[in-house]
Amino acid sequence: MVYYNEKKGGTICIQIKAFSDYISISVSDNGRGMLEQEIEQLYEIEEHSKERAGIGLRNIDRRLIQLYGKGLTIKSKLEHGTTVSFHIPL
């Protein structure tokens, strides 16, 4: 299943793929992208933030590791966008 949403200058793609031994879930955009240091800082910012605006990447990553042994994968390329994905074993 693939879902695209194009509003206000950008595209978001939510993709769910079933394989023989796992399900892959990814969310991609075609935004400005990030450097490796920026991706690393995403986890650090939440750890030291005084504001709690949601459950956050650190919590999602931690729970995925607890449940399935592997957390989030974040891949990004400047001027090409970012993809956040994870796998759930069957």
Side-chain angles (χ1 to χ4, degrees):
M1 175 172 73
V2 178
Y3 172 74
Y4 291 95
N5 186 359
E6 297 183 42
K7 286 189 177 183
K8 298 198 179 202
T11 300
I12 294 174
C13 175
I14 301 169
Q15 193 169 42
I16 302 168
K17 291 182 181 179
F19 295 91
S20 61
D21 56 345
Y22 67 94
I23 295 173
S24 173
I25 300 169
S26 66
V27 179
S28 302
D29 69 29
N30 63 345
R32 71 166 189 85
M34 294 182 282
L35 297 169
E36 189 65 35
Q37 297 100 337
E38 291 175 290
I39 294 171
E40 292 170 8
Q41 288 174 351
L42 289 175
Y43 295 96
E44 294 171 13
I45 289 169
E46 289 186 11
E47 183 177 332
H48 302 295
S49 176
K50 292 180 182 176
E51 294 182 27
R52 298 288 179 199
I55 58 175
L57 286 177
R58 284 179 43 88
N59 191 30
I60 293 169
D61 187 58
R62 182 179 52 81
R63 287 177 185 235
L64 287 169
I65 292 169
Q66 285 176 344
L67 291 169
Y68 307 116
K70 189 173 179 186
L72 294 171
T73 300
I74 302 174
K75 295 182 181 178
S76 190
K77 185 174 180 183
L78 286 178
E79 305 305 323
H80 289 89
T82 302
T83 299
V84 178
S85 62
F86 62 95
H87 294 166
I88 298 175
L90 294 175

